[in-house]
Amino acid sequence: MYVIDEQAERKEILRRYKHIIRIVSNNVTNEGKRQIRKAFTVAMNAHAGVRRKTGEPYIYHPLEVATIAAEDLGLGATAVVCAFLHDVVEDTEYTLEDIEHIFDKKVAQIVDGLTKIEGVFDYANNSIQSENFKKLLTAMGNDMRVILIKLCDRLHNMRTLESMPENKQLKIASETQQLYVPLAHRLGLYKIKSELEDLATKYINPKAYNDIASRLKDTEEQRNEFITEFAKPIKQKLTERGFKFTLSGRVKSITSIIGKIENKGVKFEDIYDIFAIRIILGGLFYHIIDVQSEAQSFQRLAYQSQKQWL
């Protein structure tokens, strides 16, 4: 249960805000930082005294949405400003005219688009009706930042969905699965798409989700050690040849694993592409090397990878 400690909350709010400023510091002008600070102040004033279902101060939510926008999507100052303000018009006394006066017309347009996105999902039929989908497209207007910020908003809401009643959990999870997951997929936002998909599955199919999550946790240490050893010779060869690169491992999403088990009738132990290595050369996505399970020989895989890719 959440325990209210206003002094600790003030420190946490400041810590999260400073984290956002650090994220954008190299890519945002001083004027952009000033606008972000102003948006933070407006959001603080607008949501003062309001708490989420979790018991936390409401300002935690726009702070997290702004963090996802800046850190995960690399969006600029205007998007971060709008992330702070995305609930202000809908939930407080501020109007779009106020937002335009305090900031500018573009910020007001994006905030307006974020407000209009609500209501595109038909809960009665648990589906997206064509007319409602048109509302979504209209809300997006000519600025893709509307839907990108909305995806950030939905991701944080899904991360904190456990505080909602069960019936709302299922409704929001269904909407996420049928609307926001496909949108993230179409936009090429694999990380956000996978997390949204898994969080939706957590509430729609909790038994299967918890089973796979438990199995993945049990093998996490072994899997991480395997990925580290597998990556060593690849990193060495890339470094020797002067490539600038980033290399990381990723685990197949829980939803994908469940889908393979259900659709192909296989056991968890028989899935051989649970994790993969991702290499980005010179800032451009180059390839994903799918690695077979821990049961396969590291030496053979390392040799094959060097031979094939280097």
Side-chain angles (χ1 to χ4, degrees):
M1 183 177 179
Y2 184 81
V3 178
I4 296 176
D5 183 336
E6 293 186 356
Q7 184 176 358
E9 289 172 347
R10 284 193 293 271
K11 290 181 179 179
E12 179 62 15
I13 290 167
L14 184 59
R15 183 194 69 79
R16 296 189 190 198
Y17 170 72
K18 287 182 176 179
H19 177 64
I20 293 170
I21 296 300
R22 282 195 297 271
I23 294 169
V24 303
S25 60
N26 293 328
N27 301 314
V28 171
T29 64
N30 288 334
E31 174 59 20
K33 292 175 186 176
R34 191 180 73 82
Q35 292 297 316
I36 290 172
R37 188 179 305 114
K38 190 196 303 185
F40 170 64
T41 302
V42 170
M44 280 285 291
N45 292 335
H47 299 300
V50 181
R51 293 185 176 272
R52 303 193 81 209
K53 294 289 185 180
T54 58
E56 298 172 330
Y58 194 89
I59 191 63
Y60 280 13
H61 174 60
L63 276 164
E64 288 305 301
V65 175
T67 299
I68 296 168
E71 193 165 37
D72 293 348
L73 297 186
L75 298 180
T78 299
V80 174
V81 165
C82 294
F84 273 121
L85 303 174
H86 75 276
D87 280 336
V88 165
V89 172
E90 184 178 3
D91 296 342
T92 77
E93 297 298 318
Y94 281 85
T95 65
L96 282 173
E97 289 73 22
D98 294 330
I99 299 301
E100 184 172 347
H101 176 72
I102 298 170
F103 297 94
D104 57 36
K105 188 174 182 179
K106 174 54 67 177
V107 169
Q109 287 175 341
I110 294 173
V111 172
D112 185 34
L114 287 163
T115 303
K116 288 178 179 176
I117 284 179
E118 297 299 329
V120 304
F121 193 78
D122 186 348
Y123 287 119
N125 297 303
N126 199 34
S127 64
I128 305 165
Q129 301 299 319
S130 59
E131 287 302 314
N132 288 339
F133 196 73
K134 289 178 183 177
K135 290 181 185 178
L136 175 62
L137 298 177
T138 301
M140 287 171 59
N142 296 318
D143 201 317
M144 280 299 299
R145 285 174 292 191
V146 173
I147 195 60
L148 292 174
I149 296 167
K150 188 59 186 178
L151 284 167
C152 298
D153 175 38
R154 177 51 57 112
L155 180 55
H156 184 247
N157 281 332
M158 289 299 295
R159 287 174 176 174
T160 56
L161 195 58
E162 69 275 359
S163 62
M164 302 292 286
E166 185 177 355
N167 63 321
K168 288 192 175 181
Q169 288 175 348
L170 290 172
K171 285 182 177 181
I172 294 170
S174 295
E175 181 185 41
T176 298
Q177 186 183 65
Q178 295 189 47
L179 176 59
Y180 292 101
V181 168
L183 280 171
H185 177 71
R186 289 298 183 111
L187 292 170
L189 304 174
Y190 176 81
K191 182 179 177 182
I192 288 180
K193 177 257 185 185
S194 296
E195 187 174 354
L196 284 173
E197 191 172 43
D198 280 355
L199 288 169
T201 299
K202 180 180 178 180
Y203 295 97
I204 294 170
N205 191 358
K207 183 177 179 180
Y209 176 91
N210 291 329
D211 177 54
I212 299 302
S214 176
R215 289 170 181 265
L216 288 175
K217 186 172 183 179
D218 289 343
T219 59
E220 182 178 13
E221 185 176 349
Q222 181 184 10
R223 186 170 57 250
N224 288 340
E225 289 177 0
F226 185 89
I227 290 174
T228 299
E229 290 302 310
F230 177 84
K232 280 181 181 178
I234 301 174
K235 287 182 176 180
Q236 182 181 348
K237 289 294 184 180
L238 289 170
T239 301
E240 288 174 358
R241 299 190 182 191
F243 287 109
K244 292 182 179 180
F245 68 95
T246 57
L247 187 152
S248 60
R250 68 168 179 84
V251 179
K252 194 180 188 72
S253 72
I254 291 175
T255 306
S256 295
I257 295 173
I258 293 172
K260 182 164 282 191
I261 290 172
E262 293 179 348
N263 296 331
K264 296 191 175 182
V266 298
K267 296 180 180 179
F268 177 83
E269 295 77 11
D270 296 328
I271 299 176
Y272 298 124
D273 60 344
I274 286 178
F275 58 91
I277 298 295
R278 172 170 291 175
I279 301 170
I280 300 176
L281 296 178
L284 297 175
F285 175 70
Y286 181 63
H287 197 80
I288 298 175
I289 302 174
D290 282 321
V291 184
Q292 292 186 340
S293 72
E294 291 91 333
Q296 300 295 319
S297 164
F298 158 70
Q299 289 84 0
R300 179 165 61 83
L301 283 169
Y303 171 77
Q304 290 177 346
S305 295
Q306 290 177 33
K307 183 178 179 181
Q308 183 176 1
W309 302 111
L310 301 178

